[in-house]
Each structure stands twice: as C-alpha cells, then as structure tokens.
PDB file of all heavy atoms in Angstrom:
ATOM      1  N   SER A  11      13.951  20.927  21.783  1.00 76.00           N
ATOM      2  CA  SER A  11      14.824  19.757  21.720  1.00 76.00           C
ATOM      3  C   SER A  11      14.139  18.521  22.308  1.00 76.00           C
ATOM      4  O   SER A  11      14.322  17.409  21.815  1.00 76.00           O
ATOM      5  CB  SER A  11      16.132  20.044  22.455  1.00 76.00           C
ATOM      6  OG  SER A  11      15.883  20.374  23.812  1.00 76.00           O
ATOM      7  N   ALA A  12      13.342  18.710  23.363  1.00 77.00           N
ATOM      8  CA  ALA A  12      12.620  17.571  23.935  1.00 77.00           C
ATOM      9  C   ALA A  12      11.585  17.025  22.951  1.00 77.00           C
ATOM     10  O   ALA A  12      11.424  15.806  22.815  1.00 77.00           O
ATOM     11  CB  ALA A  12      11.943  17.987  25.243  1.00 77.00           C
ATOM     12  N   GLU A  13      10.890  17.925  22.248  1.00 82.00           N
ATOM     13  CA  GLU A  13       9.932  17.476  21.247  1.00 82.00           C
ATOM     14  C   GLU A  13      10.615  16.754  20.098  1.00 82.00           C
ATOM     15  O   GLU A  13      10.081  15.773  19.562  1.00 82.00           O
ATOM     16  CB  GLU A  13       9.136  18.673  20.719  1.00 82.00           C
ATOM     17  CG  GLU A  13       8.143  19.242  21.715  1.00 82.00           C
ATOM     18  CD  GLU A  13       7.394  20.438  21.157  1.00 82.00           C
ATOM     19  OE1 GLU A  13       7.781  20.898  20.042  1.00 82.00           O
ATOM     20  OE2 GLU A  13       6.449  20.908  21.799  1.00 82.00           O
ATOM     21  N   LEU A  14      11.807  17.210  19.714  1.00 83.00           N
ATOM     22  CA  LEU A  14      12.548  16.530  18.659  1.00 83.00           C
ATOM     23  C   LEU A  14      12.940  15.114  19.074  1.00 83.00           C
ATOM     24  O   LEU A  14      12.831  14.172  18.288  1.00 83.00           O
ATOM     25  CB  LEU A  14      13.799  17.336  18.303  1.00 83.00           C
ATOM     26  CG  LEU A  14      14.701  16.732  17.212  1.00 83.00           C
ATOM     27  CD1 LEU A  14      13.949  16.588  15.905  1.00 83.00           C
ATOM     28  CD2 LEU A  14      15.952  17.587  17.031  1.00 83.00           C
ATOM     29  N   GLY A  15      13.391  14.949  20.321  1.00 84.00           N
ATOM     30  CA  GLY A  15      13.717  13.618  20.802  1.00 84.00           C
ATOM     31  C   GLY A  15      12.505  12.712  20.882  1.00 84.00           C
ATOM     32  O   GLY A  15      12.590  11.527  20.539  1.00 84.00           O
ATOM     33  N   ILE A  16      11.364  13.254  21.320  1.00 88.00           N
ATOM     34  CA  ILE A  16      10.137  12.456  21.389  1.00 88.00           C
ATOM     35  C   ILE A  16       9.679  12.043  19.998  1.00 88.00           C
ATOM     36  O   ILE A  16       9.303  10.884  19.757  1.00 88.00           O
ATOM     37  CB  ILE A  16       9.039  13.252  22.119  1.00 88.00           C
ATOM     38  CG1 ILE A  16       9.388  13.416  23.593  1.00 88.00           C
ATOM     39  CG2 ILE A  16       7.685  12.566  21.975  1.00 88.00           C
ATOM     40  CD1 ILE A  16       8.437  14.302  24.356  1.00 88.00           C
ATOM     41  N   LYS A  17       9.720  12.972  19.054  1.00 89.00           N
ATOM     42  CA  LYS A  17       9.298  12.650  17.694  1.00 89.00           C
ATOM     43  C   LYS A  17      10.191  11.588  17.066  1.00 89.00           C
ATOM     44  O   LYS A  17       9.703  10.658  16.414  1.00 89.00           O
ATOM     45  CB  LYS A  17       9.307  13.919  16.836  1.00 89.00           C
ATOM     46  CG  LYS A  17       8.220  14.916  17.185  1.00 89.00           C
ATOM     47  CD  LYS A  17       8.307  16.158  16.306  1.00 89.00           C
ATOM     48  CE  LYS A  17       7.220  17.159  16.673  1.00 89.00           C
ATOM     49  NZ  LYS A  17       7.285  18.383  15.825  1.00 89.00           N
ATOM     50  N   THR A  18      11.485  11.705  17.274  1.00 91.00           N
ATOM     51  CA  THR A  18      12.410  10.749  16.668  1.00 91.00           C
ATOM     52  C   THR A  18      12.245   9.346  17.248  1.00 91.00           C
ATOM     53  O   THR A  18      12.130   8.360  16.516  1.00 91.00           O
ATOM     54  CB  THR A  18      13.856  11.221  16.858  1.00 91.00           C
ATOM     55  OG1 THR A  18      13.996  12.548  16.343  1.00 91.00           O
ATOM     56  CG2 THR A  18      14.825  10.308  16.132  1.00 91.00           C
ATOM     57  N   SER A  19      12.231   9.252  18.574  1.00 92.00           N
ATOM     58  CA  SER A  19      12.149   7.937  19.209  1.00 92.00           C
ATOM     59  C   SER A  19      10.810   7.265  18.968  1.00 92.00           C
ATOM     60  O   SER A  19      10.746   6.069  18.656  1.00 92.00           O
ATOM     61  CB  SER A  19      12.410   8.078  20.712  1.00 92.00           C
ATOM     62  OG  SER A  19      11.482   8.974  21.303  1.00 92.00           O
ATOM     63  N   THR A  20       9.713   8.017  19.088  1.00 94.00           N
ATOM     64  CA  THR A  20       8.398   7.411  18.880  1.00 94.00           C
ATOM     65  C   THR A  20       8.164   7.027  17.426  1.00 94.00           C
ATOM     66  O   THR A  20       7.508   6.019  17.146  1.00 94.00           O
ATOM     67  CB  THR A  20       7.299   8.375  19.342  1.00 94.00           C
ATOM     68  OG1 THR A  20       7.467   9.644  18.689  1.00 94.00           O
ATOM     69  CG2 THR A  20       7.342   8.565  20.839  1.00 94.00           C
ATOM     70  N   LEU A  21       8.722   7.815  16.489  1.00 93.00           N
ATOM     71  CA  LEU A  21       8.545   7.475  15.078  1.00 93.00           C
ATOM     72  C   LEU A  21       9.266   6.177  14.731  1.00 93.00           C
ATOM     73  O   LEU A  21       8.716   5.323  14.027  1.00 93.00           O
ATOM     74  CB  LEU A  21       9.055   8.616  14.202  1.00 93.00           C
ATOM     75  CG  LEU A  21       8.863   8.446  12.695  1.00 93.00           C
ATOM     76  CD1 LEU A  21       7.387   8.347  12.350  1.00 93.00           C
ATOM     77  CD2 LEU A  21       9.512   9.588  11.934  1.00 93.00           C
ATOM     78  N   ILE A  22      10.492   6.016  15.227  1.00 93.00           N
ATOM     79  CA  ILE A  22      11.228   4.773  14.968  1.00 93.00           C
ATOM     80  C   ILE A  22      10.496   3.585  15.556  1.00 93.00           C
ATOM     81  O   ILE A  22      10.316   2.543  14.897  1.00 93.00           O
ATOM     82  CB  ILE A  22      12.658   4.885  15.532  1.00 93.00           C
ATOM     83  CG1 ILE A  22      13.458   5.932  14.757  1.00 93.00           C
ATOM     84  CG2 ILE A  22      13.370   3.538  15.488  1.00 93.00           C
ATOM     85  CD1 ILE A  22      14.830   6.193  15.343  1.00 93.00           C
ATOM     86  N   PHE A  23      10.056   3.712  16.795  1.00 94.00           N
ATOM     87  CA  PHE A  23       9.370   2.595  17.447  1.00 94.00           C
ATOM     88  C   PHE A  23       8.050   2.274  16.772  1.00 94.00           C
ATOM     89  O   PHE A  23       7.722   1.101  16.539  1.00 94.00           O
ATOM     90  CB  PHE A  23       9.145   2.929  18.927  1.00 94.00           C
ATOM     91  CG  PHE A  23       8.350   1.896  19.654  1.00 94.00           C
ATOM     92  CD1 PHE A  23       8.936   0.710  20.058  1.00 94.00           C
ATOM     93  CD2 PHE A  23       6.997   2.094  19.920  1.00 94.00           C
ATOM     94  CE1 PHE A  23       8.199  -0.257  20.726  1.00 94.00           C
ATOM     95  CE2 PHE A  23       6.259   1.139  20.587  1.00 94.00           C
ATOM     96  CZ  PHE A  23       6.857  -0.040  20.999  1.00 94.00           C
ATOM     97  N   THR A  24       7.269   3.305  16.435  1.00 94.00           N
ATOM     98  CA  THR A  24       5.946   3.072  15.849  1.00 94.00           C
ATOM     99  C   THR A  24       6.047   2.422  14.478  1.00 94.00           C
ATOM    100  O   THR A  24       5.324   1.457  14.185  1.00 94.00           O
ATOM    101  CB  THR A  24       5.185   4.406  15.739  1.00 94.00           C
ATOM    102  OG1 THR A  24       5.094   5.004  17.031  1.00 94.00           O
ATOM    103  CG2 THR A  24       3.790   4.176  15.199  1.00 94.00           C
ATOM    104  N   VAL A  25       6.924   2.917  13.639  1.00 92.00           N
ATOM    105  CA  VAL A  25       7.038   2.393  12.275  1.00 92.00           C
ATOM    106  C   VAL A  25       7.506   0.948  12.283  1.00 92.00           C
ATOM    107  O   VAL A  25       6.898   0.062  11.655  1.00 92.00           O
ATOM    108  CB  VAL A  25       7.982   3.285  11.445  1.00 92.00           C
ATOM    109  CG1 VAL A  25       8.291   2.623  10.106  1.00 92.00           C
ATOM    110  CG2 VAL A  25       7.360   4.649  11.221  1.00 92.00           C
ATOM    111  N   ILE A  26       8.576   0.656  13.016  1.00 91.00           N
ATOM    112  CA  ILE A  26       9.159  -0.688  12.974  1.00 91.00           C
ATOM    113  C   ILE A  26       8.275  -1.696  13.694  1.00 91.00           C
ATOM    114  O   ILE A  26       7.999  -2.787  13.180  1.00 91.00           O
ATOM    115  CB  ILE A  26      10.576  -0.670  13.568  1.00 91.00           C
ATOM    116  CG1 ILE A  26      11.489   0.246  12.740  1.00 91.00           C
ATOM    117  CG2 ILE A  26      11.154  -2.081  13.623  1.00 91.00           C
ATOM    118  CD1 ILE A  26      12.899   0.340  13.279  1.00 91.00           C
ATOM    119  N   HIS A  27       7.789  -1.354  14.881  1.00 93.00           N
ATOM    120  CA  HIS A  27       7.047  -2.343  15.667  1.00 93.00           C
ATOM    121  C   HIS A  27       5.662  -2.616  15.088  1.00 93.00           C
ATOM    122  O   HIS A  27       5.182  -3.752  15.144  1.00 93.00           O
ATOM    123  CB  HIS A  27       6.913  -1.862  17.111  1.00 93.00           C
ATOM    124  CG  HIS A  27       6.363  -2.893  18.032  1.00 93.00           C
ATOM    125  ND1 HIS A  27       6.973  -4.112  18.250  1.00 93.00           N
ATOM    126  CD2 HIS A  27       5.211  -2.916  18.773  1.00 93.00           C
ATOM    127  CE1 HIS A  27       6.256  -4.830  19.100  1.00 93.00           C
ATOM    128  NE2 HIS A  27       5.192  -4.127  19.427  1.00 93.00           N
ATOM    129  N   SER A  28       5.006  -1.593  14.539  1.00 93.00           N
ATOM    130  CA  SER A  28       3.684  -1.830  13.950  1.00 93.00           C
ATOM    131  C   SER A  28       3.774  -2.731  12.730  1.00 93.00           C
ATOM    132  O   SER A  28       2.970  -3.661  12.552  1.00 93.00           O
ATOM    133  CB  SER A  28       3.033  -0.497  13.580  1.00 93.00           C
ATOM    134  OG  SER A  28       3.819   0.206  12.633  1.00 93.00           O
ATOM    135  N   VAL A  29       4.777  -2.494  11.887  1.00 90.00           N
ATOM    136  CA  VAL A  29       4.959  -3.347  10.704  1.00 90.00           C
ATOM    137  C   VAL A  29       5.368  -4.752  11.119  1.00 90.00           C
ATOM    138  O   VAL A  29       4.887  -5.748  10.558  1.00 90.00           O
ATOM    139  CB  VAL A  29       5.996  -2.716   9.757  1.00 90.00           C
ATOM    140  CG1 VAL A  29       6.293  -3.647   8.597  1.00 90.00           C
ATOM    141  CG2 VAL A  29       5.489  -1.376   9.237  1.00 90.00           C
ATOM    142  N   ASN A  30       6.251  -4.856  12.109  1.00 90.00           N
ATOM    143  CA  ASN A  30       6.669  -6.179  12.574  1.00 90.00           C
ATOM    144  C   ASN A  30       5.499  -6.945  13.176  1.00 90.00           C
ATOM    145  O   ASN A  30       5.381  -8.170  13.002  1.00 90.00           O
ATOM    146  CB  ASN A  30       7.784  -6.034  13.597  1.00 90.00           C
ATOM    147  CG  ASN A  30       8.259  -7.359  14.128  1.00 90.00           C
ATOM    148  OD1 ASN A  30       8.592  -8.262  13.373  1.00 90.00           O
ATOM    149  ND2 ASN A  30       8.308  -7.492  15.437  1.00 90.00           N
ATOM    150  N   LEU A  31       4.607  -6.250  13.861  1.00 91.00           N
ATOM    151  CA  LEU A  31       3.465  -6.905  14.496  1.00 91.00           C
ATOM    152  C   LEU A  31       2.512  -7.494  13.465  1.00 91.00           C
ATOM    153  O   LEU A  31       1.960  -8.585  13.665  1.00 91.00           O
ATOM    154  CB  LEU A  31       2.732  -5.908  15.395  1.00 91.00           C
ATOM    155  CG  LEU A  31       1.881  -6.481  16.539  1.00 91.00           C
ATOM    156  CD1 LEU A  31       2.759  -7.282  17.489  1.00 91.00           C
ATOM    157  CD2 LEU A  31       1.194  -5.355  17.294  1.00 91.00           C
ATOM    158  N   ILE A  32       2.305  -6.810  12.362  1.00 90.00           N
ATOM    159  CA  ILE A  32       1.413  -7.344  11.331  1.00 90.00           C
ATOM    160  C   ILE A  32       2.089  -8.459  10.542  1.00 90.00           C
ATOM    161  O   ILE A  32       1.430  -9.405  10.099  1.00 90.00           O
ATOM    162  CB  ILE A  32       0.925  -6.221  10.397  1.00 90.00           C
ATOM    163  CG1 ILE A  32      -0.160  -6.746   9.453  1.00 90.00           C
ATOM    164  CG2 ILE A  32       2.052  -5.641   9.588  1.00 90.00           C
ATOM    165  CD1 ILE A  32      -0.757  -5.685   8.565  1.00 90.00           C
ATOM    166  N   LEU A  33       3.409  -8.395  10.391  1.00 87.00           N
ATOM    167  CA  LEU A  33       4.097  -9.424   9.614  1.00 87.00           C
ATOM    168  C   LEU A  33       4.185 -10.746  10.362  1.00 87.00           C
ATOM    169  O   LEU A  33       4.115 -11.809   9.738  1.00 87.00           O
ATOM    170  CB  LEU A  33       5.498  -8.950   9.231  1.00 87.00           C
ATOM    171  CG  LEU A  33       5.572  -7.847   8.179  1.00 87.00           C
ATOM    172  CD1 LEU A  33       7.017  -7.435   7.938  1.00 87.00           C
ATOM    173  CD2 LEU A  33       4.939  -8.287   6.873  1.00 87.00           C
ATOM    174  N   ILE A  34       4.328 -10.710  11.697  1.00 89.00           N
ATOM    175  CA  ILE A  34       4.452 -11.959  12.435  1.00 89.00           C
ATOM    176  C   ILE A  34       3.098 -12.610  12.695  1.00 89.00           C
ATOM    177  O   ILE A  34       3.044 -13.778  13.091  1.00 89.00           O
ATOM    178  CB  ILE A  34       5.179 -11.744  13.775  1.00 89.00           C
ATOM    179  CG1 ILE A  34       4.373 -10.831  14.697  1.00 89.00           C
ATOM    180  CG2 ILE A  34       6.565 -11.212  13.548  1.00 89.00           C
ATOM    181  CD1 ILE A  34       5.003 -10.645  16.067  1.00 89.00           C
ATOM    182  N   THR A  35       1.994 -11.893  12.450  1.00 89.00           N
ATOM    183  CA  THR A  35       0.667 -12.457  12.697  1.00 89.00           C
ATOM    184  C   THR A  35      -0.158 -12.642  11.428  1.00 89.00           C
ATOM    185  O   THR A  35      -1.291 -13.122  11.518  1.00 89.00           O
ATOM    186  CB  THR A  35      -0.126 -11.555  13.668  1.00 89.00           C
ATOM    187  OG1 THR A  35      -0.228 -10.234  13.131  1.00 89.00           O
ATOM    188  CG2 THR A  35       0.557 -11.496  15.020  1.00 89.00           C
ATOM    189  N   THR A  36       0.371 -12.276  10.283  1.00 88.00           N
ATOM    190  CA  THR A  36      -0.390 -12.353   9.028  1.00 88.00           C
ATOM    191  C   THR A  36       0.435 -13.092   7.985  1.00 88.00           C
ATOM    192  O   THR A  36       1.579 -12.698   7.725  1.00 88.00           O
ATOM    193  CB  THR A  36      -0.744 -10.955   8.512  1.00 88.00           C
ATOM    194  OG1 THR A  36      -1.327 -10.190   9.571  1.00 88.00           O
ATOM    195  CG2 THR A  36      -1.735 -11.046   7.366  1.00 88.00           C
ATOM    196  N   PRO A  37      -0.108 -14.126   7.362  1.00 86.00           N
ATOM    197  CA  PRO A  37       0.629 -14.813   6.296  1.00 86.00           C
ATOM    198  C   PRO A  37       0.864 -13.889   5.103  1.00 86.00           C
ATOM    199  O   PRO A  37       0.078 -12.966   4.853  1.00 86.00           O
ATOM    200  CB  PRO A  37      -0.299 -15.988   5.917  1.00 86.00           C
ATOM    201  CG  PRO A  37      -1.206 -16.161   7.089  1.00 86.00           C
ATOM    202  CD  PRO A  37      -1.378 -14.798   7.686  1.00 86.00           C
ATOM    203  N   PRO A  38       1.946 -14.084   4.371  1.00 83.00           N
ATOM    204  CA  PRO A  38       2.202 -13.230   3.201  1.00 83.00           C
ATOM    205  C   PRO A  38       1.087 -13.293   2.166  1.00 83.00           C
ATOM    206  O   PRO A  38       0.801 -12.287   1.504  1.00 83.00           O
ATOM    207  CB  PRO A  38       3.516 -13.782   2.643  1.00 83.00           C
ATOM    208  CG  PRO A  38       4.171 -14.461   3.799  1.00 83.00           C
ATOM    209  CD  PRO A  38       3.060 -15.009   4.624  1.00 83.00           C
ATOM    210  N   GLU A  39       0.446 -14.447   2.029  1.00 83.00           N
ATOM    211  CA  GLU A  39      -0.654 -14.564   1.053  1.00 83.00           C
ATOM    212  C   GLU A  39      -1.815 -13.647   1.418  1.00 83.00           C
ATOM    213  O   GLU A  39      -2.429 -13.027   0.534  1.00 83.00           O
ATOM    214  CB  GLU A  39      -1.135 -16.012   0.979  1.00 83.00           C
ATOM    215  CG  GLU A  39      -0.111 -16.981   0.413  1.00 83.00           C
ATOM    216  CD  GLU A  39       0.879 -17.461   1.449  1.00 83.00           C
ATOM    217  OE1 GLU A  39       0.721 -17.069   2.622  1.00 83.00           O
ATOM    218  OE2 GLU A  39       1.801 -18.217   1.084  1.00 83.00           O
ATOM    219  N   ASP A  40      -2.112 -13.541   2.720  1.00 86.00           N
ATOM    220  CA  ASP A  40      -3.206 -12.661   3.151  1.00 86.00           C
ATOM    221  C   ASP A  40      -2.869 -11.194   2.907  1.00 86.00           C
ATOM    222  O   ASP A  40      -3.736 -10.403   2.496  1.00 86.00           O
ATOM    223  CB  ASP A  40      -3.509 -12.887   4.630  1.00 86.00           C
ATOM    224  CG  ASP A  40      -4.033 -14.284   4.912  1.00 86.00           C
ATOM    225  OD1 ASP A  40      -4.200 -15.054   3.933  1.00 86.00           O
ATOM    226  OD2 ASP A  40      -4.266 -14.615   6.079  1.00 86.00           O
ATOM    227  N   LEU A  41      -1.618 -10.808   3.159  1.00 86.00           N
ATOM    228  CA  LEU A  41      -1.214  -9.424   2.916  1.00 86.00           C
ATOM    229  C   LEU A  41      -1.280  -9.076   1.433  1.00 86.00           C
ATOM    230  O   LEU A  41      -1.758  -7.995   1.054  1.00 86.00           O
ATOM    231  CB  LEU A  41       0.200  -9.196   3.437  1.00 86.00           C
ATOM    232  CG  LEU A  41       0.380  -9.131   4.945  1.00 86.00           C
ATOM    233  CD1 LEU A  41       1.851  -8.987   5.298  1.00 86.00           C
ATOM    234  CD2 LEU A  41      -0.413  -7.970   5.526  1.00 86.00           C
ATOM    235  N   VAL A  42      -0.818  -9.995   0.592  1.00 83.00           N
ATOM    236  CA  VAL A  42      -0.851  -9.736  -0.849  1.00 83.00           C
ATOM    237  C   VAL A  42      -2.301  -9.624  -1.327  1.00 83.00           C
ATOM    238  O   VAL A  42      -2.634  -8.755  -2.151  1.00 83.00           O
ATOM    239  CB  VAL A  42      -0.104 -10.857  -1.594  1.00 83.00           C
ATOM    240  CG1 VAL A  42      -0.314 -10.743  -3.096  1.00 83.00           C
ATOM    241  CG2 VAL A  42       1.376 -10.785  -1.272  1.00 83.00           C
ATOM    242  N   TRP A  43      -3.177 -10.476  -0.810  1.00 85.00           N
ATOM    243  CA  TRP A  43      -4.588 -10.399  -1.210  1.00 85.00           C
ATOM    244  C   TRP A  43      -5.210  -9.074  -0.768  1.00 85.00           C
ATOM    245  O   TRP A  43      -5.983  -8.454  -1.517  1.00 85.00           O
ATOM    246  CB  TRP A  43      -5.364 -11.560  -0.605  1.00 85.00           C
ATOM    247  CG  TRP A  43      -6.828 -11.515  -0.928  1.00 85.00           C
ATOM    248  CD1 TRP A  43      -7.440 -11.959  -2.062  1.00 85.00           C
ATOM    249  CD2 TRP A  43      -7.867 -10.940  -0.113  1.00 85.00           C
ATOM    250  NE1 TRP A  43      -8.792 -11.717  -2.005  1.00 85.00           N
ATOM    251  CE2 TRP A  43      -9.077 -11.090  -0.824  1.00 85.00           C
ATOM    252  CE3 TRP A  43      -7.892 -10.335   1.135  1.00 85.00           C
ATOM    253  CZ2 TRP A  43     -10.300 -10.659  -0.318  1.00 85.00           C
ATOM    254  CZ3 TRP A  43      -9.106  -9.890   1.643  1.00 85.00           C
ATOM    255  CH2 TRP A  43     -10.275 -10.050   0.926  1.00 85.00           C
ATOM    256  N   ALA A  44      -4.896  -8.613   0.452  1.00 87.00           N
ATOM    257  CA  ALA A  44      -5.454  -7.351   0.943  1.00 87.00           C
ATOM    258  C   ALA A  44      -4.953  -6.171   0.121  1.00 87.00           C
ATOM    259  O   ALA A  44      -5.727  -5.264  -0.223  1.00 87.00           O
ATOM    260  CB  ALA A  44      -5.103  -7.168   2.419  1.00 87.00           C
ATOM    261  N   ILE A  45      -3.662  -6.164  -0.211  1.00 86.00           N
ATOM    262  CA  ILE A  45      -3.129  -5.082  -1.045  1.00 86.00           C
ATOM    263  C   ILE A  45      -3.767  -5.108  -2.427  1.00 86.00           C
ATOM    264  O   ILE A  45      -4.106  -4.059  -2.999  1.00 86.00           O
ATOM    265  CB  ILE A  45      -1.596  -5.197  -1.129  1.00 86.00           C
ATOM    266  CG1 ILE A  45      -0.980  -4.976   0.257  1.00 86.00           C
ATOM    267  CG2 ILE A  45      -1.023  -4.194  -2.117  1.00 86.00           C
ATOM    268  CD1 ILE A  45       0.513  -5.216   0.303  1.00 86.00           C
ATOM    269  N   ARG A  46      -3.948  -6.302  -2.964  1.00 85.00           N
ATOM    270  CA  ARG A  46      -4.608  -6.447  -4.272  1.00 85.00           C
ATOM    271  C   ARG A  46      -6.044  -5.950  -4.209  1.00 85.00           C
ATOM    272  O   ARG A  46      -6.536  -5.329  -5.167  1.00 85.00           O
ATOM    273  CB  ARG A  46      -4.545  -7.919  -4.697  1.00 85.00           C
ATOM    274  CG  ARG A  46      -5.418  -8.292  -5.892  1.00 85.00           C
ATOM    275  CD  ARG A  46      -4.924  -7.626  -7.165  1.00 85.00           C
ATOM    276  NE  ARG A  46      -5.656  -8.078  -8.319  1.00 85.00           N
ATOM    277  CZ  ARG A  46      -6.876  -7.663  -8.664  1.00 85.00           C
ATOM    278  NH1 ARG A  46      -7.483  -6.750  -7.906  1.00 85.00           N
ATOM    279  NH2 ARG A  46      -7.463  -8.110  -9.745  1.00 85.00           N
ATOM    280  N   TRP A  47      -6.713  -6.141  -3.100  1.00 86.00           N
ATOM    281  CA  TRP A  47      -8.100  -5.686  -2.952  1.00 86.00           C
ATOM    282  C   TRP A  47      -8.166  -4.163  -2.917  1.00 86.00           C
ATOM    283  O   TRP A  47      -9.072  -3.566  -3.506  1.00 86.00           O
ATOM    284  CB  TRP A  47      -8.687  -6.270  -1.674  1.00 86.00           C
ATOM    285  CG  TRP A  47     -10.136  -5.974  -1.482  1.00 86.00           C
ATOM    286  CD1 TRP A  47     -11.203  -6.676  -1.982  1.00 86.00           C
ATOM    287  CD2 TRP A  47     -10.702  -4.873  -0.746  1.00 86.00           C
ATOM    288  NE1 TRP A  47     -12.381  -6.090  -1.593  1.00 86.00           N
ATOM    289  CE2 TRP A  47     -12.103  -4.975  -0.837  1.00 86.00           C
ATOM    290  CE3 TRP A  47     -10.153  -3.826  -0.019  1.00 86.00           C
ATOM    291  CZ2 TRP A  47     -12.955  -4.075  -0.225  1.00 86.00           C
ATOM    292  CZ3 TRP A  47     -10.996  -2.904   0.584  1.00 86.00           C
ATOM    293  CH2 TRP A  47     -12.382  -3.034   0.487  1.00 86.00           C
ATOM    294  N   PHE A  48      -7.222  -3.518  -2.240  1.00 88.00           N
ATOM    295  CA  PHE A  48      -7.230  -2.057  -2.153  1.00 88.00           C
ATOM    296  C   PHE A  48      -6.921  -1.413  -3.504  1.00 88.00           C
ATOM    297  O   PHE A  48      -7.452  -0.344  -3.819  1.00 88.00           O
ATOM    298  CB  PHE A  48      -6.225  -1.581  -1.101  1.00 88.00           C
ATOM    299  CG  PHE A  48      -6.748  -1.634   0.308  1.00 88.00           C
ATOM    300  CD1 PHE A  48      -6.207  -2.529   1.222  1.00 88.00           C
ATOM    301  CD2 PHE A  48      -7.765  -0.813   0.721  1.00 88.00           C
ATOM    302  CE1 PHE A  48      -6.686  -2.579   2.515  1.00 88.00           C
ATOM    303  CE2 PHE A  48      -8.259  -0.851   2.011  1.00 88.00           C
ATOM    304  CZ  PHE A  48      -7.709  -1.751   2.918  1.00 88.00           C
ATOM    305  N   PHE A  49      -6.059  -2.039  -4.292  1.00 86.00           N
ATOM    306  CA  PHE A  49      -5.659  -1.465  -5.568  1.00 86.00           C
ATOM    307  C   PHE A  49      -6.441  -2.052  -6.742  1.00 86.00           C
ATOM    308  O   PHE A  49      -6.015  -1.912  -7.891  1.00 86.00           O
ATOM    309  CB  PHE A  49      -4.162  -1.694  -5.800  1.00 86.00           C
ATOM    310  CG  PHE A  49      -3.278  -0.861  -4.924  1.00 86.00           C
ATOM    311  CD1 PHE A  49      -2.763  -1.374  -3.755  1.00 86.00           C
ATOM    312  CD2 PHE A  49      -2.973   0.447  -5.268  1.00 86.00           C
ATOM    313  CE1 PHE A  49      -1.941  -0.614  -2.943  1.00 86.00           C
ATOM    314  CE2 PHE A  49      -2.164   1.220  -4.463  1.00 86.00           C
ATOM    315  CZ  PHE A  49      -1.645   0.693  -3.284  1.00 86.00           C
ATOM    316  N   ALA A  50      -7.561  -2.684  -6.461  1.00 84.00           N
ATOM    317  CA  ALA A  50      -8.369  -3.280  -7.528  1.00 84.00           C
ATOM    318  C   ALA A  50      -8.845  -2.269  -8.571  1.00 84.00           C
ATOM    319  O   ALA A  50      -8.915  -2.613  -9.764  1.00 84.00           O
ATOM    320  CB  ALA A  50      -9.566  -4.024  -6.922  1.00 84.00           C
ATOM    321  N   PRO A  51      -9.186  -1.014  -8.205  1.00 85.00           N
ATOM    322  CA  PRO A  51      -9.605  -0.054  -9.252  1.00 85.00           C
ATOM    323  C   PRO A  51      -8.542   0.231 -10.307  1.00 85.00           C
ATOM    324  O   PRO A  51      -8.871   0.694 -11.403  1.00 85.00           O
ATOM    325  CB  PRO A  51      -9.951   1.211  -8.453  1.00 85.00           C
ATOM    326  CG  PRO A  51     -10.309   0.721  -7.095  1.00 85.00           C
ATOM    327  CD  PRO A  51      -9.412  -0.448  -6.861  1.00 85.00           C
ATOM    328  N   LEU A  52      -7.270  -0.059 -10.010  1.00 84.00           N
ATOM    329  CA  LEU A  52      -6.222   0.203 -10.999  1.00 84.00           C
ATOM    330  C   LEU A  52      -6.285  -0.752 -12.184  1.00 84.00           C
ATOM    331  O   LEU A  52      -5.663  -0.492 -13.214  1.00 84.00           O
ATOM    332  CB  LEU A  52      -4.840   0.113 -10.344  1.00 84.00           C
ATOM    333  CG  LEU A  52      -4.520   1.177  -9.281  1.00 84.00           C
ATOM    334  CD1 LEU A  52      -3.135   0.946  -8.711  1.00 84.00           C
ATOM    335  CD2 LEU A  52      -4.631   2.583  -9.864  1.00 84.00           C
TER     336      LEU A  52
END
C-alpha cells in the first residue's frame, strides 16, 4: 500500500510539473518545430 501511494503521488507530480515546466519556458513555435524535427522521417 505504501508503494501504491508513492507511485500515485509521484506520477501525478512528475507528469504535470515536468510538462508545465517546459511549457512556461518554451515558446509554442519552438515546441512545434522540435516535434516536426523528430517526426521528419514520416
């Protein structure tokens, strides 16, 4: 049960805060260009 609580709380914090951190420091144009660069082989 302790591992379940740790997994749940850390997963919520990691997912939301990491994405929020990149969004507040990166312009949308830069993110779109980076995604376009990764999917260029398509």
Side-chain angles (χ1 to χ4, degrees):
S11 59
E13 289 179 352
L14 179 61
I16 292 174
K17 290 179 181 180
T18 305
S19 58
T20 54
L21 183 62
I22 293 174
F23 175 78
T24 303
V25 171
I26 298 179
H27 189 60
S28 60
V29 175
N30 180 52
L31 203 61
I32 188 176
L33 289 178
I34 64 177
T35 58
T36 310
E39 294 83 3
D40 295 358
L41 287 177
V42 171
W43 178 83
I45 295 174
R46 168 67 174 78
W47 185 85
F48 278 113
F49 288 96
L52 294 179

